[in-house]
């Protein structure tokens, strides 16, 4: 390829404006709420970490998903699917037993104990194995269990709910939304396979690693949509903040 065909486009000013505006709103909201809390003289752990356990289920479920959907996952999973295939999508069914286990057993214990931190009662799990359908399902189960219930930043979401019933809605809603986001990553990877079916960017020398494929696509193709690049960058930064 010629140097002209591989040159990346210049980022327009409005993309920078969108990126900076959304990032400032994200950070500014947290700063504002923190300063307002200090202004009221509130300094309890429940208020700081759990919003006095009075938050609504839907925003908590969305926050639970936002905590799990990271910038690395958005770019890395798409690149993984593009390079290695889609067999690990079979880890999605593991959300079902993991979610039910959390809702029926883990969540009631944590909520009734009124703990603030998951580290007061539990530990993390890990499991690795070969990439087959059943291995993806079984291997993902303990990982998904941690992601939907035994991770401190996740447990903090449903422990902030107004009641145990609301906490269960948070957990179930988070599981469904997280599975949906993972499906979007898979479909994006499939779209990348189709888009570059005749010209693999690594083989052509346009990029050196497959984990560069999403930024490469955004720069080469999607950047023609006004404002999309700034929105994408703001999303990555927001996803990096847990």
């Amino acid at each position: 390829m010629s140097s002209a065909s591989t040159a990346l486009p210049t980022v327009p000013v409005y993309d920078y404006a969108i990126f900076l505006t959304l990032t400032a709103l994200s950070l500014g909201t947290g700063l504002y709420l923190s300063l307002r809390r200090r202004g009221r003289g509130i300094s309890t752990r429940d208020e700081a970490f759990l919003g006095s356990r009075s938050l609504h289920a839907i925003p908590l479920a969305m926050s639970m998903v936002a905590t799990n959907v990271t910038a690395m996952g958005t770019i890395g999973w798409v690149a993984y699917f593009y390079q290695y295939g889609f067999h690990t999508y079979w880890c999605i069914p593991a959300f079902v037993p993991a979610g039910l286990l959390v809702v029926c057993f883990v969540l009631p214990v944590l909520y009734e104990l009124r703990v603030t931190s998951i580290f007061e009662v539990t530990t993390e799990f890990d499991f690795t194995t070969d990439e087959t359908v059943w291995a993806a399902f079984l291997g993902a189960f303990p990982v998904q269990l941690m992601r939907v219930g035994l991770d401190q930043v996740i447990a903090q979401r449903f422990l902030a709910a107004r009641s145990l019933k609301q906490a269960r809605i948070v957990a179930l809603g988070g599981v469904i939304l997280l599975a949906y986001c993972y499906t979007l990553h898979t479909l994006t990877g499939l779209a990348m396979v189709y888009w570059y079916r005749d010209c693999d960017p690594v083989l052509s020398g346009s990029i050196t690693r497959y984990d560069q494929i999403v930024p490469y696509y955004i720069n080469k193709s999607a950047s023609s949509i006004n404002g999309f690049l700034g929105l994408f960058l703001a999303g990555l930064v927001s996803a990096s903040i847990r």
Side-chain angles (χ1 to χ4, degrees):
M1 291 186 179
S2 64
S3 58
S5 63
T6 58
L8 297 180
T10 303
V11 179
V13 174
Y14 51 76
D15 279 313
Y16 280 116
I18 292 174
F19 165 66
L20 292 175
T21 300
L22 292 178
T23 302
L25 284 174
S26 178
L27 297 176
T29 300
L31 180 61
Y32 166 75
L33 293 175
S34 177
L35 292 176
R36 189 180 71 167
R37 179 179 61 83
R38 289 189 178 185
R40 298 203 310 262
I42 300 174
S43 59
T44 64
R45 288 198 306 170
D46 270 9
E47 170 66 20
F49 292 101
L50 303 178
S52 297
R53 303 178 190 266
S54 61
L55 304 181
H56 292 281
I58 293 178
L60 284 172
M62 296 176 67
S63 177
M64 176 178 169
V65 175
T67 300
N68 271 299
V69 178
T70 65
M72 181 178 67
T74 300
I75 294 177
W77 272 117
V78 173
Y80 180 89
F81 289 136
Y82 179 88
Q83 185 176 6
Y84 297 109
F86 304 93
H87 49 274
T88 55
Y89 183 72
W90 286 102
C91 72
I92 286 293
F95 277 120
V96 176
L100 291 175
L101 183 60
V102 168
V103 169
C104 296
F105 299 101
V106 176
L107 193 156
V109 173
L110 293 178
Y111 199 88
E112 294 301 330
L113 286 176
R114 311 296 289 178
V115 296
T116 301
S117 171
I118 191 72
F119 300 110
E120 296 178 37
V121 295
T122 189
T123 57
E124 292 188 1
F125 293 89
D126 189 19
F127 189 83
T128 56
T129 185
D130 294 333
E131 296 170 346
T132 63
V133 170
W134 290 110
F137 175 84
L138 296 176
F141 174 73
V143 177
Q144 307 297 37
L145 180 60
M146 184 194 73
R147 293 181 69 188
V148 301
L150 297 181
D151 190 335
Q152 165 60 22
V153 293
I154 297 301
Q156 185 175 324
R157 269 56 177 185
F158 53 68
L159 290 175
R162 295 182 170 186
S163 64
L164 179 57
K165 180 180 179 180
Q166 289 282 298
R168 286 192 168 113
I169 294 175
V170 172
L172 286 175
V175 166
I176 294 171
L177 292 174
L178 188 58
Y180 171 74
C181 289
Y182 196 88
T183 300
L184 288 182
H185 290 162
T186 305
L187 293 177
T188 304
L190 182 61
M192 292 294 101
V193 171
Y194 178 78
W195 187 266
Y196 293 114
R197 64 192 182 280
D198 297 323
C199 184
D200 186 288
V202 172
L203 298 180
S204 67
S206 299
I207 57 177
T208 58
R209 303 188 310 273
Y210 281 109
D211 57 7
Q212 298 172 328
I213 195 169
V214 173
Y216 175 76
Y217 171 79
I218 296 297
N219 274 309
K220 292 291 291 183
S221 302
S223 60
S224 60
I225 304 174
N226 292 340
F228 187 84
L229 183 57
L231 186 64
F232 175 75
L233 292 175
L236 288 183
V237 172
S238 298
S240 301
I241 304 173
R242 298 190 75 186

